[in-house]
Amino acid sequence: MTDNVLSDMPAAAQATSSPAAHLKRPLRRKGVVIAHEKSWKRSSIWTLQVGIFVALIGGWELATRLGLIDPFFWSSPSRIYNAFIIVIGEGTLFQDTWFTFKATIIGFLLGSAIGAAIGLSLWWSINAAAVVQPYIVVFNAVPKIALGPLIILIFGIGISSKIALAVAFTAVITALAAYAGVRAVDDDLVKLTLSLGGRRRDVFLKIVVPSAMPWITSSLHINIGLALAGAIAGEFISSQYGLGKIIMYAGSTYDMALIWVGIIILALLAIVLYGAVNWLEHKFTRGQNVKTI
Amino acid sequence: MSQSIMTEPALPPTEPSTLRPKLRLDGLTHEFRTGGAPPVKAIEGISLDVAPGAFVSLIGQSGCGKSTLFNIMAGLLQPSAGRVVLDGEDITGRAGLVSYMLQKDLLLPWRTILDNVIFGLEIQGVDRREARAVAEPLMDRYGLGRFKTHYPASLSGGMRQRAALLRTLLCNNDVILLDEPFAALDAQTRFRMQEWLLTLWKDFGRTVLFVTHDVDEAIFLSDEICVLSPRPGRIADRFDVSLPRPRGRNVVTAPEFIRAKERCLDLLFSGGQPADSEAA
Ligand SMILES: Nc1ncnc2c1ncn2[C@@H]1O[C@H](COP(=O)(O)OP(=O)(O)OP(=O)(O)O)[C@@H](O)[C@H]1O
Ligand SMILES: [Mg+2]
C-alpha cells in the first residue's frame, strides 16, 4: 500500500515525506553476517573428552608427586587404584555395590511409577487436582533428606528404608512432570476422541497418557540422580551394606582413597542408568518431541 | 415432550430412506454464556434437511458460527435450543454418531499414519489388527501407501489432511462433517485434494457437510450450498448446484458456475452488517 502511494509522488516529496526521514541514519548499513559455529566430527569430540580425562588424572597424580597438593586430603589416582585393588581383594565391594544398585533401581522404578500415577490421575478431576496441588508443591519443597531418620526408624536399617528414601526423592518430581504433561494435552485431540464416540477412559488411555509421556520420561533423567542420592542418604544414616556405608566408613577413618573408590563406582552406576533411561525414552516417545530438562 | 412427538412424525420402517432426509437440523440456536460477559448468540434458528448421499457446503463469514454448528451436530456441544435428527432419531447432544473432521488435521503425533487412520475404528471398538487390515488397502488405493509407517511430523500438509480425511471416512458413520479441511493448503495441493475428496465421496457414498470460506471450492464440490448470515448465523440462502458431474477444472467458466458465484458473493459481502463498511 505505502509503496503505491509513494511512487505516485515526485522524488523530492518522497524523501521528506518518508516516515523515517527525521531519524538519524543508523551507523552500520552493511548488514550483519551471521556467525555459525561448525560442529566438530564425533571422533574429535570423543578424542577431546578422553584427552581432558587423561589430563585431569595425570595432572592430579603429578601434582601430588611434586608436592603441590597434599595427598592426605586429596589422595591421588595411584592411591585410589591401590585402594580399589585392596577392596576388591576383600570381596565385599561387589556386595555393597549390588546393595546400592538394587535400592536405587527399585526406588527409581517405584518412585517414578507412583509419581506418574499421581500426576496422571489428576487429569480425572480438575477439582481433585485443585485440592491436591498444594500438598504436592509443599512436599516437593520439603528437603526429603529430613525424612531420613524417620524412615530408618519406620522401615529399619535394611534395604527397604533405602528404597523408601529413593521413592520419596523421586516420586514428587515425576508427579509434577506428569501433571504438567496432563495440563498441556491438546484440547482438540480430546475433542476429536469424543467426537468419534470415545469415552473418558479412551481419552485418558489414548490421548492423555501418550501425550504426557515425554514429560514423564524427561523427569526420569533427574530421577536417576535423585534415586542414587536417596539410597546413599539412607546408607549414610544407618546401614550394614552399600557404597554409602563404605564412603561413610572411609571418611571416619580418613581413608580418602576409599572415598574416591565409592564415588567412582557411583558415577559408573549413574552412567549405566542414564543409558537405560535414554533407551526407554526413545522407546516411549516415538514421533514426539523429546522434552529434555 | 408432546410437542416433539407432534413435530416428529413416526415414520413407518417400510418407507424408502430416499424420501426422508438423512440429517435434519431443527431450529438450532446456540448462545455462549461465559462468566460475567454478555451472552454471545452464535447461531439462531438453523433448520436444514440434508438428503442421503448429498454434498452440502456451508459458507459464511468468519465467526458466523459454522464451527459451532458442527460442534452441535457432532454432539460435542449441547445447543440452547433445537434438535439434530439423524435417520429420524433425535441425536442432539450425543457424540460418535456422525464423523467430524475438525478445522486442524489433528493427527496423533505418537502414532504412525496407519495407526492414525484406524484411530476412529479403534475408538468404536474394532480390534486393532482387524482395523489395520481394513485400512491398509484403502491407504494404498488413496495414495497414502508409502507413508504407513511414517510419523505425522514427517508428512506434508496435504498428506496429513489425506490421512485425517481417511480416518474420518473410515468410521462407520453415514454423515461426515468437514470443517475447512483444505484451508491451510496451497492452491495446487488444494485442487488435487478437492478431486481426491470427490473420488472418496463417490466411492464411500457418504453424506457430506462441508464448511469453507472459498466460494469456488463450495460450488465446485457441492450439490447444494447454504449461505449463512453474519453472527448470529442464520441460513440466508440455499440453492442447488446442478452442474453435471464429474466436473472438470474448466467448470469455473460455465455460466451456471458464474451465476452461483455471484449469488454467493452478493450474499456474503452485502450481508447486512452496517459496521462492516469495507465489505460492502
Ligand atoms: N467457547 C466460546 N465461548 C464464547 N464464544 C464463543 C465460543 N466459541 C465460539 N464463540 C463465538 O461464537 C461465534 C462463532 O464461532 P465459530 O467458531 O463457530 O465461527 P466460525 O464460523 O467457525 O468462524 P471461522 O470461519 O473463523 O472458523 C464467534 O463469534 C465466536 O467468538
Ligand atoms: Mg470455524
Side-chain angles (χ1 to χ4, degrees):
Chain A
M1 276 307 278
T2 351
D3 275 347
N4 286 336
V5 174
L6 287 181
S7 58
D8 288 345
M9 292 181 183
Q14 264 188 39
T16 49
S17 69
S18 157
H22 65 283
L23 292 176
K24 257 209 206 127
R25 225 154 185 249
L27 284 179
R28 191 174 58 172
R29 298 297 310 256
K30 285 184 195 155
V32 181
V33 178
I34 298 165
H36 287 288
E37 187 182 357
K38 262 207 204 125
S39 54
W40 295 341
K41 272 187 294 186
R42 256 192 107 73
S43 58
S44 344
I45 298 225
W46 201 76
T47 312
L48 203 60
Q49 285 169 336
V50 172
I52 290 174
F53 181 75
V54 170
L56 276 176
I57 302 293
W60 187 359
E61 183 69 33
L62 203 65
T64 44
R65 298 244 163 142
L66 294 177
L68 296 177
I69 56 176
D70 185 350
F72 179 76
F73 288 114
W74 293 98
S75 191
S76 73
S78 56
R79 279 158 224 255
I80 296 169
Y81 178 75
N82 289 335
F84 191 63
I85 297 299
I86 291 169
V87 277
I88 283 186
E90 283 170 0
T92 54
L93 184 66
F94 179 76
Q95 196 183 12
D96 287 314
T97 306
W98 178 239
F99 184 86
T100 304
F101 191 61
K102 210 159 67 176
T104 305
I105 291 277
I106 297 175
F108 170 84
L109 292 177
L110 262 181
S112 304
I114 291 171
I118 292 173
L120 288 172
S121 68
L122 292 181
W123 175 80
W124 282 91
S125 160
I126 41 172
N127 298 316
V131 171
V132 171
Q133 207 183 3
Y135 289 96
I136 294 182
V137 171
V138 169
F139 189 70
N140 183 39
V142 168
K144 259 70 70 185
I145 185 107
L147 299 173
L150 201 64
I151 285 181
I152 298 279
L153 287 176
I154 296 171
F155 289 91
I157 61 165
I159 196 165
S160 44
S161 58
K162 285 49 177 190
I163 294 172
L165 263 175
V167 169
F169 271 56
T170 50
V172 206
I173 298 293
T174 305
L176 287 172
Y179 185 47
V182 160
R183 276 175 303 168
V185 169
D186 185 349
D187 273 341
D188 285 332
L189 290 181
V190 176
K191 249 172 94 172
L192 167 79
T193 312
L194 294 175
S195 82
L196 292 166
R199 294 163 201 288
R200 264 171 87 74
R201 208 178 69 97
D202 296 315
V203 176
F204 183 72
L205 291 177
K206 295 180 196 282
I207 302 294
V208 176
V209 172
S211 54
M213 207 40 100
W215 268 269
I216 293 173
T217 54
S218 80
S219 76
L220 298 187
H221 291 287
I222 301 170
N223 279 356
I224 296 169
L226 289 176
L228 271 171
I232 296 293
E235 290 166 6
F236 275 4
I237 297 169
S238 179
S239 186
Q240 287 179 299
Y241 306 101
L243 294 169
K245 183 216 74 181
I246 291 187
I247 291 173
M248 214 52 181
Y249 167 78
S252 65
T253 56
Y254 293 90
D255 189 347
M256 307 309 171
L258 191 55
I259 295 181
W260 280 107
V261 169
I263 293 172
I264 288 164
I265 296 174
L266 282 176
L268 293 177
L269 277 184
I271 290 172
V272 170
L273 292 174
Y274 201 81
V277 165
N278 270 346
W279 179 80
L280 273 180
E281 181 164 52
H282 230 76
K283 209 168 147 59
F284 281 116
T285 59
R286 300 201 59 185
Q288 296 195 75
N289 288 330
V290 171
K291 310 268 187 300
T292 341
I293 305 182
Chain B
M1 245 15 272
S2 60
Q3 197 189 4
S4 82
I5 290 167
M6 276 170 44
T7 51
E8 186 197 270
L11 297 167
T14 46
E15 184 168 346
S17 61
T18 40
L19 288 187
R20 73 174 176 200
K22 185 81 208 167
L23 183 76
R24 160 174 285 176
L25 308 182
D26 187 7
L28 286 175
T29 298
H30 191 73
E31 246 179 22
F32 285 105
R33 296 169 183 280
T34 37
V40 177
K41 190 171 259 182
I43 55 171
E44 184 169 39
I46 291 192
S47 296
L48 183 69
D49 280 359
V50 182
F55 197 120
V56 179
S57 285
L58 298 167
I59 55 177
Q61 291 181 9
S62 184
C64 74
K66 305 180 294 289
S67 299
T68 306
L69 185 61
F70 271 15
N71 283 336
I72 291 171
M73 287 193 240
L76 297 174
L77 197 64
Q78 186 74 36
S80 315
R83 302 185 310 155
V84 182
V85 180
L86 179 72
D87 289 325
E89 191 191 348
D90 187 343
I91 61 158
T92 318
R94 278 156 59 189
L97 299 172
V98 303
S99 300
Y100 181 18
M101 180 168 157
L102 289 97
Q103 224 159 335
K104 295 192 268 170
D105 58 50
L106 291 180
L107 298 175
L108 314 186
W110 53 86
R111 282 176 173 236
T112 60
I113 295 302
L114 174 59
D115 285 350
N116 263 294
V117 168
I118 64 163
F119 185 62
L121 288 175
E122 207 183 303
I123 293 289
Q124 292 178 341
V126 179
D127 177 66
R128 245 194 216 212
R129 208 167 310 141
E130 219 173 296
R132 283 194 187 127
V134 172
E136 283 197 80
L138 291 175
M139 290 181 75
D140 292 332
R141 172 135 38 107
Y142 296 111
L144 280 164
R146 279 184 299 137
F147 303 108
K148 281 176 201 157
T149 56
H150 285 48
Y151 285 91
S154 63
L155 259 67
S156 66
M159 285 301 153
R160 293 168 59 101
Q161 288 293 354
R162 279 187 194 213
L165 212 56
L166 203 53
R167 171 179 67 195
T168 314
L169 279 163
L170 221 59
C171 302
N172 293 313
N173 295 320
D174 295 338
V175 176
I176 64 174
L177 315 174
L178 305 176
D179 193 352
E180 295 190 52
F182 309 141
L185 303 178
D186 62 275
Q188 282 176 30
T189 312
R190 199 173 235 247
F191 271 0
R192 255 178 283 126
M193 291 294 291
Q194 289 165 358
E195 269 157 3
W196 186 80
L197 171 63
L198 287 180
T199 314
L200 264 82
W201 173 60
K202 210 176 68 214
D203 294 358
F204 282 73
R206 300 286 159 81
T207 307
V208 176
L209 272 90
F210 189 92
V211 158
T212 178
H213 274 124
D214 182 339
V215 175
D216 284 14
E217 181 172 73
I219 303 170
F220 177 70
L221 293 172
S222 315
D223 297 323
E224 191 180 331
I225 293 180
C226 292
V227 186
L228 296 183
S229 66
R231 203 179 76 202
R234 298 189 192 91
I235 293 186
D237 193 13
R238 238 187 111 176
F239 59 92
D240 292 336
V241 181
S242 51
L243 291 161
R245 291 182 194 268
R247 297 170 186 167
R249 270 294 142 209
N250 55 358
V251 76
V252 292
T253 54
E256 175 168 3
F257 190 99
I258 294 168
R259 243 178 290 125
K261 189 169 175 178
E262 272 171 359
R263 189 165 173 181
C264 292
L265 290 175
D266 280 353
L267 280 158
L268 283 178
F269 292 111
S270 65
Q273 239 193 357
D276 201 353
S277 55
E278 260 191 41

